[in-house]
Amino acid sequence: DNMIKTIGVLHFTIPVSDTVKSLNFYREVLGFELIQHVPQIDMVFMKCGNDFVNLTKSKTPIKPNNGNDFLVHHAFKIEVDKYDEAKQSIIDRGIEIIHEEHRYEGIFHGKQFYFHDLDRNVIEINALEKVTEGFSEDQINNKDYKVFPNLKS
């Protein structure tokens, strides 16, 4: 067949309004490593573990979600035993945690919390315990099943 066979994710790009402020946020809050800031295109190349993330100045308004909804988000893994410490570091910085759960259904199992970056992009911190096959057929086929019971919209 004629399909492209991708083998992984090289990087993804997060839109930001100020690359310098965001570079500092992602470095100081999330421990990302700066690779290079390219001012001509206002793009910052960063590394998170073995993965790459670019921060790029957006030419359009950044509004991935309404209010404190969190379905459009970027998830980052931490060690399971570092969850409480990670959560406390966000609280100590005065950053609001907009959602938290200990998810043991669906695909990604573990404790997780969500918060906004400087531009209201939603960041998930996940103390991933295991990856599974996902929701049951009964859950998927039940239109009334609440994947996130406290989701506003």
Side-chain angles (χ1 to χ4, degrees), residues 41-54:
I41 55 174
D42 218 355
M43 184 179 283
V44 176
F45 295 85
M46 303 193 86
K47 194 167 184 184
C48 170
N50 292 320
D51 301 309
F52 297 90
V53 176
N54 298 342

Side-chain angles (χ1 to χ4, degrees), residues 14 26-28 30-34 46-48 53 76:
I14 298 175
Y26 280 84
R27 185 166 47 191
E28 294 167 13
L30 294 170
F32 283 23
E33 174 189 343
L34 173 64
M46 303 193 86
K47 194 167 184 184
C48 170
V53 176
F76 298 99

Side-chain angles (χ1 to χ4, degrees), residues 1-128:
D1 79 47
N2 199 16
M3 126 181 35
I4 296 172
K5 293 190 175 39
T6 57
I7 58 171
V9 175
L10 175 60
H11 69 82
F12 63 90
T13 300
I14 298 175
V16 299
S17 60
D18 183 316
T19 52
V20 173
K21 287 180 182 173
S22 292
L23 176 165
N24 289 327
F25 178 90
Y26 280 84
R27 185 166 47 191
E28 294 167 13
V29 176
L30 294 170
F32 283 23
E33 174 189 343
L34 173 64
I35 298 171
Q36 190 171 53
H37 180 207
V38 183
Q40 296 90 334
I41 55 174
D42 218 355
M43 184 179 283
V44 176
F45 295 85
M46 303 193 86
K47 194 167 184 184
C48 170
N50 292 320
D51 301 309
F52 297 90
V53 176
N54 298 342
L55 306 176
T56 302
K57 181 168 176 64
S58 180
K59 295 178 176 150
T60 60
I62 302 165
K63 191 178 182 207
N65 296 287
N66 289 322
N68 282 342
D69 283 357
F70 52 86
L71 290 183
V72 177
H73 64 274
H74 306 288
F76 298 99
K77 296 182 289 188
I78 59 170
E79 297 294 332
V80 172
D81 64 350
K82 300 291 185 195
Y83 184 82
D84 291 335
E85 182 182 322
K87 181 180 165 190
Q88 191 60 50
S89 78
I90 294 301
I91 292 167
D92 290 349
R93 291 176 183 278
I95 299 171
E96 179 188 3
I97 293 174
I98 60 171
H99 178 71
E100 180 179 21
E101 67 177 313
H102 302 172
R103 178 165 283 279
Y104 297 103
E105 61 182 5
I107 297 173
F108 306 114
H109 290 210
K111 294 179 179 178
Q112 52 200 246
F113 65 88
Y114 299 72
F115 59 93
H116 290 116
D117 75 358
L118 300 175
D119 291 292
R120 296 190 55 80
N121 293 298
V122 175
I123 304 299
E124 173 188 340
I125 299 299
N126 191 309
L128 186 68

